[in-house]
Every structure is written in structure tokens, then in C-alpha cells.
Amino acid sequence: MALENDTRPIDELTFKEASVELEQVVRSLEGGDLELEDALARYARGVELLRSLRERLSKAEQRVQVLLDATDADVAPDTTAAPSTAFIDDKE
């Protein structure tokens, strides 16, 4: 009972494909119908998929942080704006 992507190298899968395959691996392991050898092979594939997905997420988070830091550095505080008048009491 082979999964649809389990012959493709993990680094060739998109993030979504790897996520879907990991979900399929988990479901097949939870089903309890696999032979021991198949279960071990699926588990090993699942571990590799999970490692790859975590690594990709970490890299994406780092890129987002770099972009946020660059944006923060490029935006100077607006010192020309008038102060807010929301708290001024007109009745005085």
C-alpha cells in the first residue's frame, strides 16, 4: 500500500505536498492495518517529512523577520504629525 508521493524525494515536494503526505502517513499508521516493516518504513518517511517541514517553516520565519526588520528600519517615525486632540475638552 504505497502512498502517492512516497517514491519522490522529499526535497522535490512542495510544502503543501509534503504536508498532505505527512497527514496520509499519520492516518495509515493510526489505522493499525500495516505490517511491521511497512509501518516502520512509513514512520521513517513521516519523520523525514516532519523534519523537512519544520526546517522550511523555520527558514520562512527567518525571511519574514528579515523583511519586518528591513521595513522597521526603513520607516522613520513621523515627527510632522499634529498631536491628537481626542482628549482636549472643548468646554474649557
Side-chain angles (χ1 to χ4, degrees):
M1 183 176 152
L3 296 175
E4 90 183 37
N5 290 328
D6 67 355
T7 57
R8 285 179 58 195
I10 292 172
D11 60 344
E12 290 181 9
L13 299 174
T14 65
F15 186 87
K16 185 173 184 175
E17 289 171 333
S19 296
V20 168
E21 185 179 342
L22 179 59
E23 186 175 327
Q24 291 171 342
V25 167
V26 170
R27 286 184 183 161
S28 68
L29 290 171
E30 288 177 341
D33 297 332
L34 298 173
E35 293 292 329
L36 177 61
E37 295 80 10
D38 290 336
L40 288 172
R42 295 275 173 89
Y43 183 81
R45 177 77 173 182
V47 167
E48 289 301 313
L49 286 163
L50 183 59
R51 182 199 54 78
S52 174
L53 290 167
R54 284 182 174 167
E55 185 178 301
R56 293 180 201 194
L57 278 175
S58 178
K59 287 180 181 178
E61 288 172 347
Q62 289 173 2
R63 284 189 285 180
V64 167
Q65 190 60 50
V66 166
L67 292 171
L68 288 174
D69 291 346
T71 301
D72 290 344
D74 290 344
V75 177
D78 185 4
T79 58
T80 61
S84 173
T85 59
F87 299 106
I88 296 177
D89 188 359
D90 290 335
K91 296 179 183 178
E92 290 183 26

